[in-house]
Amino acid sequence: MSQHADTTQKNNADDEVLLFAADSDEPEQALASWKVLIVDDDKEIHQITRLALRDFNFLQHKLEFISAYSAAEAREILAQHADIALILLDVVMETDDAGLTLVRYIREQLHNDVVRIILRTGQPGQAPEQRVVQDYDINDYRAKTELTVQRLSTTVVSALRAFVAIEQLAQLNASLEQQVAARTAELEASNRQLQQTLAELEAGERAGKQVQFKMLPPPEASFAAYQFSHALYPSEFMSGDFVDYFAADAHKVVFYIADVSGHGVASAFVTVYLKRFISANLERYRRGSSALITEPALLLAALNRELLQEKIGKYIALFYAVLDTEKGELTYANAGAFPWPLLHQGANARYLSLKSTPVGMFDFASYTNHSLQLQADSRLVLVSDGMLDMLPPADNDEKLQYLATISQQHRHISSLLQALAITPEQPLPDDLTILQLTCNLA
């Protein structure tokens, strides 16, 4: 390691020691921990890292540090600790590429795709960032000189969030493998190889869909004089569309329809992320610590920031609304959802034109609240853009007019789907979702 890098790291270490010089007098609570493996041949880096992150807490878990001072020592530790969540890894140790070689060993020989790996180097020129990111399965690349206490904490939070999500998927995969094994045993007598292959495919696809569909609300639900209903048909087994409605409190009902860019497993993963985000804010609201769940525009802005910060690589077209069942008032905001919500009031039908930007696309996006007083016997119909592919007209404006006309004639989702000859069995060009709110006031 160069003298300049050593000096810079020592200066940073001094700065970080100052930031954490004051110890708290409060007793620590015993928390579960995330295992973090520090791999670096510089003992001072281990001390600085432990000091900088000593008060770190994520999801009620603290950090448990394990130190390795060479790539060879790290291999032995990895063999003993399969539950390591994060590796802070130096590039240059016993050899100039010891860290990079260890990355390949972890991913290709240990087949460990769950652990998050953050490369830290004091010699960026030794392993150029662009080449390393392209050629190696790492999750972040940082020069040691740029890792302040705040940035290190932020980097660790981001890595642990990804670890939690990927570990959950890994657990799901393990569950699917058990189901496949059980099904294979039943079918061995007839035709082992053929039936095993069919069982793996069928169990995997259906189980993935089943897990996602368990997150959906009931097909119909009533809140006071208001009834919600929905239908969701994925173009593949798992859907990039999502829909939900639930009571936030005695008089407020939250509902939204979402369409993640793309479709299939990758987009379905983002719907799980969205559900977790909404659920977390609902829990805070019920604890009285945040009202974000009932503020559509603010919630969309917060979701936009988090998606960009996490670098999910997907964006979500999302219409989000809060219904006050006591006042009959609807407060809503749109994040690029199209077609726009279609409001039926008596014999009249109109779209709530709300041009905006999906969340997760631009950091400068802004969102605005709108309000609407629902009249007796009014309906709000929301569909994902997969509906446009199912409508006969060629022009988008004509499609919207056709949808307004046919939904005026068919007040229930089932009859609307029947009129459009849409069934769950038919292959679809895109995920298709319909959400309907009906006001049954006398």
Side-chain angles (χ1 to χ4, degrees):
M1 183 175 295
S2 70
Q3 182 178 357
H4 173 72
D6 288 341
T7 302
T8 303
Q9 291 170 0
K10 187 177 187 304
N11 291 338
N12 288 343
D14 292 339
D15 291 342
E16 292 168 347
V17 169
L18 289 174
L19 287 172
F20 285 89
D23 289 328
S24 172
D25 293 332
E26 297 180 2
E28 286 191 4
Q29 296 181 351
L31 299 177
S33 60
W34 306 102
K35 285 189 178 180
V36 177
L37 174 61
I38 307 172
V39 186
D40 201 299
D41 59 358
D42 187 341
K43 292 184 178 180
E44 187 176 8
I45 294 297
H46 291 256
Q47 295 170 354
I48 291 172
T49 303
R50 290 170 180 265
L51 183 61
L53 297 173
R54 65 178 182 177
D55 296 323
F56 184 92
N57 184 344
F58 176 67
L59 295 180
Q60 295 302 305
H61 286 52
K62 301 193 76 173
L63 299 182
E64 175 186 342
F65 295 101
I66 304 173
S67 288
Y69 298 92
S70 67
E73 187 179 352
R75 291 191 182 202
E76 296 178 3
I77 292 173
L78 286 165
Q80 300 168 8
H81 300 271
D83 57 344
I84 291 173
L86 172 63
I87 301 176
L88 300 173
L89 176 61
D90 190 14
V91 177
V92 180
M93 291 180 286
E94 61 261 49
T95 62
D96 288 347
D97 63 347
L100 299 179
T101 302
L102 181 60
V103 172
R104 286 271 168 85
Y105 171 77
I106 293 169
R107 299 304 194 204
E108 297 177 6
Q109 295 188 42
L110 294 183
H111 301 290
N112 188 341
D113 298 319
V114 178
V115 65
R116 303 294 84 194
I117 302 175
I118 299 174
L119 282 185
R120 302 191 296 179
T121 179
Q123 305 178 47
Q126 190 73 30
E129 180 177 356
Q130 182 176 359
R131 182 181 68 81
V132 170
V133 171
Q134 289 177 348
D135 296 347
Y136 294 85
D137 184 7
I138 63 171
N139 307 108
D140 208 345
Y141 183 98
R142 298 285 182 179
K144 293 177 181 178
T145 54
E146 69 171 314
L147 280 177
T148 62
V149 172
Q150 181 60 46
R151 184 165 293 181
L152 179 59
S153 296
T154 301
T155 300
V156 171
V157 167
S158 179
L160 290 178
R161 279 180 176 156
F163 173 80
V164 170
I166 293 172
E167 190 178 46
Q168 289 175 343
L169 288 180
Q171 292 171 356
L172 173 61
N173 287 336
S175 173
L176 296 181
E177 289 176 1
Q178 293 175 0
Q179 294 180 44
V180 169
R183 176 69 67 88
T184 301
E186 296 172 1
L187 301 175
E188 267 183 349
S190 57
N191 191 327
R192 179 177 300 177
Q193 187 59 46
L194 176 61
Q195 295 304 323
Q196 177 182 351
T197 302
L198 292 176
E200 289 174 352
L201 291 174
E202 182 181 351
E205 291 166 343
R206 288 186 176 178
K209 180 178 179 180
Q210 183 180 11
V211 168
Q212 186 184 33
F213 272 55
K214 279 185 177 179
M215 300 189 305
L216 293 171
E220 295 184 354
S222 295
F223 304 90
Y226 301 89
Q227 184 177 47
F228 289 85
S229 57
H230 81 274
L232 190 154
Y233 296 160
S235 60
E236 299 179 5
F237 274 86
M238 300 183 72
S239 173
D241 283 3
F242 196 73
V243 64
D244 203 359
Y245 35 80
F246 54 86
D249 58 32
H251 302 297
K252 292 182 180 178
V253 179
V254 173
F255 65 97
Y256 60 91
I257 183 171
D259 184 357
V260 179
S261 57
H263 46 80
V265 175
S267 297
F269 173 78
V270 181
T271 67
V272 177
Y273 185 98
L274 172 62
K275 176 72 172 181
R276 286 170 56 88
F277 176 85
I278 299 293
S279 297
N281 279 283
L282 176 61
E283 182 179 349
R284 296 187 190 104
Y285 178 75
R286 289 175 174 170
R287 291 200 311 259
S289 61
S290 170
L292 192 64
I293 195 78
T294 60
E295 296 290 340
L298 294 178
L299 183 133
L300 292 180
L303 177 59
N304 184 61
R305 288 192 299 270
E306 185 159 324
L307 288 173
L308 291 172
Q309 180 182 346
E310 296 297 329
K311 299 179 181 179
I312 296 295
K314 294 276 189 179
Y315 58 85
I316 310 173
L318 177 65
F319 176 86
Y320 185 94
V322 178
L323 170 65
D324 188 322
T325 58
E326 193 173 40
K327 299 178 181 178
E329 184 178 10
L330 193 66
T331 305
Y332 58 92
N334 189 39
F338 184 84
W340 301 303
L342 176 58
L343 178 63
H344 292 282
Q345 290 182 325
N348 299 320
R350 64 183 178 93
Y351 286 97
L352 305 180
S353 301
L354 301 166
K355 294 183 179 179
S356 56
T357 305
V359 289
M361 183 174 283
F362 300 116
D363 58 3
F364 56 79
S366 61
Y367 305 97
T368 305
N369 278 344
H370 302 267
S371 61
L372 176 68
Q373 191 69 38
L374 290 178
Q375 301 175 7
D377 198 32
S378 58
R379 284 187 301 130
L380 190 65
V381 180
L382 302 103
V383 299
S384 62
D385 62 1
M387 173 63 80
L388 297 178
D389 296 326
M390 306 302 296
L391 301 179
D395 179 78
N396 256 2
D397 290 337
E398 293 178 0
K399 287 177 182 287
L400 293 178
Q401 183 57 49
Y402 183 87
L403 177 61
T405 300
I406 197 168
S407 65
Q408 182 76 355
Q409 299 168 354
H410 300 275
R411 296 179 56 87
H412 299 284
I413 289 179
S414 57
S415 62
L416 176 61
L417 292 172
Q418 186 176 4
L420 293 172
I422 298 174
T423 63
E425 293 77 19
Q426 71 180 114
L428 299 175
D430 194 5
D431 301 325
L432 171 63
T433 303
I434 305 175
L435 168 61
Q436 181 167 279
L437 162 61
T438 303
C439 175
N440 295 319
L441 289 171

